Amino acid sequence: MKTLIFYTLLFLTLMACNDKPSSEEKTTVTTQPKNLEKNIIDLSHTYSDKTIYWVTSKEFELDTVYRGQTDKGYYYSANNFCTAEHGGTHIDAPIHFVENGQTVDEIPLEKLIGPAVKIDVYSKAINNPDYLVSIEDFKAWEISQGNTIPDGSIVLIQTGFSKYYSDKIKYLGTDKRGEDAVKLLHFPGLSPEAAEWLVKNRNINAIGIDTPSIDYGQSEYFKSHVTLLEQKIPAFENLTNLDKLPLSGFEIIALPMKIEGGTGAPLRIVAIVTDEKK
Amino acid sequence: MKTLIFYTLLFLTLMACNDKPSSEEKTTVTTQPKNLEKNIIDLSHTYSDKTIYWVTSKEFELDTVYRGQTDKGYYYSANNFCTAEHGGTHIDAPIHFVENGQTVDEIPLEKLIGPAVKIDVYSKAINNPDYLVSIEDFKAWEISQGNTIPDGSIVLIQTGFSKYYSDKIKYLGTDKRGEDAVKLLHFPGLSPEAAEWLVKNRNINAIGIDTPSIDYGQSEYFKSHVTLLEQKIPAFENLTNLDKLPLSGFEIIALPMKIEGGTGAPLRIVAIVTDEKK
């Protein structure tokens, strides 16, 4: 019951956020919520020795510090870990590709919490590891929704590749590691033209994808990264469970580890989806 | 305007969550929101070489992997880092003190996102580094609010110690490290009696404090940890900015790094506070 009321209102909040007048305008809102139920969906992979990293990056390592009974009579366990900032479900901060750009601790929380949309390119990408998400893919979403991508949206791109996550050859294109493996990377990403179109024609807060990188595996110059990050649009990579999201009308909460000066960080990202209760 | 409507509704959501009937009951809600403004407050310290760790724990280390122009003509920077799970603003999962307890990746998100209350013991604790938060401190909150601590609350304890965070001698009681420094620890915490009272008499989802540990510095047996974690109530430690929160009527979103089998993890925690717009 508590959560029912909670998400009923959260859903209406989301809906209210999808048309976005001037930030200076003032108003009073009256709502008549329906009987709705909430769903918190975790869009994050776990960190373990199976976690996907760039082929040249340090992988996740967990070391047990202590596990067992203590001489004081209580049980205790604790670990240390080491990782690259950019591995598993993580965020790219502007400084990852922009000199003097925002570091991960400087990204405003308002960019990371808010209404979201999903661009579904599954049918085009799932069997094409070199698929480049195009301007037309965004326009197709807008036609289907009868609306341009709302200002302030978090935009998630579903290629379907997260289902390959446990298989490096299918997910990354290779299970080799090191510099020589970079040219073997094959997975879908956002085309540089579509990144340009987004930053010039739409006003989005953040972007995410269910592949290892917002640029596709065969990218040489990482132009989509540069274009987005120059405009302070952070990118979420290695997302999962995007198939559980609708095309619009949901909220994202994306909270990265607050690393001072970080170029990116492990990210816990969840969606709040609200459905009419049956 | 967008965020105004968003948080107007989020505030009502919170309010609706504060009285919590049976989870099976069905209802329809009608609301008449006022003109409100939102505030996202970051309750997380940054991770750096200044981050506070237990005197026996591995501290945070960031290593630059690359920073500068590449031979392809674009700028690039990336780091690796190592840390203990329990340092800086972090979460304790049940398995930290309970054999076979929940690991950090297993904590239900519903426990980490929801309405919260603040117990303010600043005046008693700020000059008493051995202060133990008592049953009476919780009862005083309930009398002042005319309500018991609502079921499903996230409970935050404000001792004021976060203002000492940059000074280890004031925050921890010592700037020494190693096993011999443990007995020099002095900072406020939750008394074992109050932890018992909370788990037996109230139904809270999670607890947090602005000191290094939910047990006070001089604790030998960590009984408050054991009592809370046995009941699957995770603990947030080394919080900050609690002085910016009201005593009730706000929401917490606490998202830990999703470490498979983790006994705890770095935590990004924010509060959503909504005030009437002036």
Side-chain angles (χ1 to χ4, degrees):
Chain A
M1 177 56 223
K2 181 198 79 163
T3 49
L4 178 64
I5 301 177
F6 184 89
Y7 286 96
T8 300
L9 287 159
L10 201 55
F11 178 76
L12 287 160
T13 304
L14 269 173
M15 295 297 93
C17 289
N18 272 339
D19 51 356
K20 191 198 183 189
S22 149
S23 63
E24 294 304 311
E25 196 182 326
K26 291 184 181 183
T27 197
T28 300
V29 194
T30 305
T31 54
Q32 301 268 349
K34 288 185 189 166
N35 197 357
L36 302 173
E37 72 183 350
K38 65 90 192 182
N39 213 354
I40 305 179
I41 299 170
D42 196 346
L43 309 183
S44 327
H45 292 287
T46 54
Y47 280 89
S48 73
D49 57 6
K50 308 281 194 304
T51 298
I52 292 285
Y53 282 77
W54 202 249
V55 291
T56 54
S57 285
K58 178 177 183 59
E59 295 180 288
F60 185 77
E61 280 177 38
L62 189 75
D63 293 313
T64 303
V65 175
Y66 194 89
R67 183 170 53 206
Q69 290 299 123
T70 63
D71 55 11
K72 297 266 170 75
Y74 60 84
Y75 175 88
Y76 179 76
S77 65
N79 307 305
N80 295 334
F81 67 91
C82 294
T83 177
E85 291 169 331
H86 302 268
T89 302
H90 73 281
I91 188 171
D92 286 359
I95 200 172
H96 190 37
F97 278 89
V98 179
E99 194 164 10
N100 301 317
Q102 270 175 344
T103 55
V104 73
D105 52 319
E106 293 172 338
I107 299 171
L109 290 164
E110 288 75 8
K111 290 227 167 183
L112 304 176
I113 301 175
V117 303
K118 179 177 84 170
I119 312 299
D120 180 7
V121 297
Y122 181 97
S123 61
K124 294 173 172 178
I126 196 66
N127 293 315
N128 178 3
D130 294 327
Y131 186 71
L132 282 164
V133 179
S134 66
I135 298 169
E136 287 64 38
D137 290 324
F138 293 98
K139 288 186 173 170
W141 182 94
E142 295 190 339
I143 290 165
S144 80
Q145 301 293 303
N147 194 7
T148 55
I149 295 168
D151 285 358
S153 292
I154 294 170
V155 175
L156 303 184
I157 299 168
Q158 179 187 358
T159 68
F161 259 55
S162 62
K163 76 175 183 183
Y164 299 147
Y165 190 80
S166 62
D167 179 344
K168 285 185 179 173
I169 291 177
K170 293 198 85 165
Y171 188 72
L172 285 167
T174 179
D175 60 358
K176 295 191 172 57
R177 289 185 52 77
E179 281 297 339
D180 290 348
V182 173
K183 62 181 177 299
L184 305 176
L185 292 168
H186 290 273
F187 52 79
L190 178 68
S191 75
E193 296 73 28
E196 280 282 340
W197 180 85
L198 271 177
V199 305
K200 287 188 176 158
N201 299 284
R202 297 295 179 265
N203 182 19
I204 69 172
N205 273 0
I207 197 163
I209 195 164
D210 57 356
T211 71
S213 173
I214 195 69
D215 276 289
Y216 81 145
Q218 286 288 292
S219 175
E220 207 175 347
Y221 298 98
F222 302 97
K223 285 186 181 173
S224 295
H225 275 91
V226 173
T227 298
L228 293 161
L229 297 177
E230 276 180 345
Q231 300 304 317
K232 299 184 181 175
I233 299 168
F236 315 143
E237 295 170 337
N238 289 317
L239 301 182
T240 188
N241 287 331
L242 300 188
D243 57 314
K244 298 185 171 66
L245 302 177
L247 294 174
S248 63
F250 62 101
E251 189 195 8
I252 287 294
I253 303 169
L255 295 183
M257 187 177 160
K258 195 174 181 182
I259 300 171
E260 188 174 302
T263 72
L267 179 73
R268 192 67 179 272
I269 175 170
V270 303
I272 312 287
V273 180
T274 311
D275 300 302
E276 196 152 349
K277 206 172 172 83
K278 283 163 193 159
Chain B
M1 178 56 222
K2 182 197 74 163
T3 49
L4 178 64
I5 302 177
F6 184 87
Y7 286 96
T8 299
L9 287 160
L10 201 54
F11 178 76
L12 288 160
T13 306
L14 270 173
M15 295 300 94
C17 288
N18 274 339
D19 50 357
K20 190 196 184 190
S22 148
S23 63
E24 293 305 310
E25 196 182 326
K26 291 184 182 184
T27 196
T28 300
V29 193
T30 305
T31 55
Q32 300 268 349
K34 288 185 187 166
N35 198 358
L36 302 173
E37 72 183 348
K38 65 91 192 183
N39 212 355
I40 306 178
I41 299 171
D42 196 345
L43 309 183
S44 328
H45 291 287
T46 54
Y47 281 89
S48 73
D49 57 7
K50 308 281 194 303
T51 298
I52 292 285
Y53 282 78
W54 201 250
V55 291
T56 54
S57 285
K58 178 178 182 59
E59 296 181 287
F60 186 77
E61 280 177 38
L62 190 75
D63 294 313
T64 303
V65 175
Y66 194 91
R67 182 169 54 206
Q69 291 299 124
T70 63
D71 56 11
K72 295 267 170 73
Y74 60 84
Y75 175 89
Y76 179 76
S77 64
N79 307 305
N80 294 335
F81 67 92
C82 293
T83 178
E85 291 170 331
H86 301 269
T89 302
H90 72 282
I91 188 170
D92 286 359
I95 199 172
H96 189 37
F97 278 89
V98 179
E99 194 163 9
N100 302 316
Q102 270 176 343
T103 55
V104 72
D105 52 318
E106 293 172 339
I107 299 171
L109 290 164
E110 289 75 8
K111 290 227 167 184
L112 304 175
I113 301 174
V117 303
K118 179 177 83 171
I119 312 299
D120 181 6
V121 298
Y122 182 97
S123 61
K124 295 173 171 180
I126 196 66
N127 294 315
N128 179 3
D130 294 327
Y131 186 71
L132 281 165
V133 180
S134 67
I135 298 169
E136 286 63 40
D137 290 325
F138 293 98
K139 288 186 173 170
W141 182 94
E142 295 190 339
I143 290 166
S144 79
Q145 301 294 302
N147 195 7
T148 55
I149 295 168
D151 284 359
S153 291
I154 294 170
V155 175
L156 303 184
I157 298 168
Q158 179 187 356
T159 68
F161 259 55
S162 61
K163 76 175 182 181
Y164 300 147
Y165 191 80
S166 61
D167 179 345
K168 284 184 180 174
I169 291 178
K170 294 199 85 165
Y171 189 71
L172 285 166
T174 180
D175 59 359
K176 295 192 172 56
R177 288 184 53 77
E179 281 298 340
D180 290 347
V182 172
K183 62 181 174 300
L184 304 176
L185 291 168
H186 290 274
F187 52 77
L190 178 67
S191 76
E193 297 73 28
E196 279 284 339
W197 181 84
L198 271 177
V199 305
K200 286 187 177 159
N201 299 283
R202 299 294 177 265
N203 182 18
I204 69 173
N205 272 0
I207 197 163
I209 195 165
D210 57 357
T211 71
S213 172
I214 194 70
D215 275 291
Y216 81 145
Q218 286 288 293
S219 175
E220 208 175 348
Y221 298 98
F222 301 97
K223 285 186 180 174
S224 296
H225 275 91
V226 173
T227 298
L228 294 161
L229 297 177
E230 275 180 345
Q231 300 304 316
K232 300 185 181 174
I233 298 169
F236 315 142
E237 296 169 336
N238 290 316
L239 302 183
T240 188
N241 287 331
L242 300 188
D243 57 313
K244 299 185 171 66
L245 303 177
L247 294 175
S248 64
F250 62 100
E251 189 194 8
I252 288 294
I253 303 168
L255 295 184
M257 187 176 161
K258 195 175 183 182
I259 299 171
E260 189 173 303
T263 72
L267 179 73
R268 192 69 178 271
I269 176 170
V270 303
I272 312 289
V273 179
T274 312
D275 300 303
E276 196 152 348
K277 206 173 172 83
K278 284 162 191 159

